[in-house]
Amino acid sequence: MLKQDLHIHTTYSTADSLIASEQTVALVTAVKHAEVVGISDHFESLTDGQFEIYEKEVRRAGLKVGVEVDGHAWVPEAEGYPVDYYIVHCRDITADYRGLEKLLGTGKPVIVAHPNALSTELNRVPAECLVEINNRYVYRTDWRRFYAPFTNRFKFILGSDAHQPNWLGQAVARYVALQLGVNNHLVF
């Protein structure tokens, strides 16, 4: 069993075509693949009253409540929601780096989501952020060249970025972390 997995999507991410209809909060809870599980559905799917329903179901299941924030445009709204942590898309634009700083101001953990897939310049990311290595995107770039210069600057968090039940796991992310000599930082 994994220690934690905080990057998991469910059917609450309604605009994401990769979400399997079976990927429900109940199924993720039943699988018990990690000691600490957090659901981090796409924030833009949770506005207009959906967040309250989402939060209630996730907390009732005994899971951590997160949201995946798609860049700076969503930060002003997201920072006011009662989440346990943020997973954030940070593209290489100044406004997204400022968005990270703004979310850090909430005092909640801020995880930079799959930075290698979004061309995030890690030298521009505040050192207080956690940097994610996840199964879904790590192999799409030269991960060694991308992450190695920053292994002493950041705490790293491993995630599955699961959109479907068979994606629950972190085998590739754990392999990359071992090769880089970094540990999975336990947030909770």
Side-chain angles (χ1 to χ4, degrees), residues 6-7 9 13 39-47 51 54 65-81 83 85-91 95-100 102-104 106 108-114 118 120 132:
L6 302 178
H7 195 162
H9 298 277
S13 287
I39 304 296
S40 53
D41 279 303
H42 295 285
F43 181 70
E44 64 271 18
S45 295
L46 299 171
T47 57
F51 181 84
Y54 164 78
V65 175
V67 289
E68 186 169 26
V69 180
D70 190 18
H72 70 279
W74 290 99
V75 167
E77 188 173 353
E79 69 181 334
Y81 281 70
V83 299
Y85 64 97
Y86 299 98
I87 292 184
V88 185
H89 291 171
C90 181
R91 292 169 184 84
D96 278 2
Y97 299 108
R98 287 187 184 137
L100 293 174
K102 195 166 176 92
L103 289 174
L104 283 169
T106 67
K108 297 173 184 168
V110 175
I111 302 165
V112 179
H114 34 74
L118 295 174
T120 306
E132 181 188 47

Side-chain angles (χ1 to χ4, degrees), residues 25 35 56 86 90 125 136 140 151 173 176 178-179 188:
V25 171
E35 291 175 26
K56 186 175 182 179
Y86 299 98
C90 181
V125 171
R136 184 170 176 205
R140 293 190 179 179
T151 58
V176 168
L178 180 67
Q179 296 301 305
F188 302 104

Side-chain angles (χ1 to χ4, degrees), residues 115-182:
N116 60 319
L118 295 174
S119 301
T120 306
E121 289 291 336
L122 290 179
N123 58 348
R124 296 184 69 188
V125 171
E128 300 83 13
C129 288
L130 301 165
V131 173
E132 181 188 47
I133 298 172
N134 77 37
N135 267 12
R136 184 170 176 205
Y137 290 109
V138 72
Y139 62 88
R140 293 190 179 179
T141 61
D142 181 349
W143 53 265
R144 193 177 309 272
R145 197 173 102 234
F146 183 83
Y147 288 106
F150 301 97
T151 58
N152 292 320
R153 179 173 177 189
F154 295 107
K155 292 178 181 171
F156 288 84
I157 183 164
L158 307 183
S160 64
D161 196 2
H163 289 62
Q164 302 175 18
N166 58 314
W167 292 15
L168 292 167
Q170 301 170 350
V172 176
R174 288 181 15 228
Y175 168 78
V176 168
L178 180 67
Q179 296 301 305
L180 291 170
V182 299

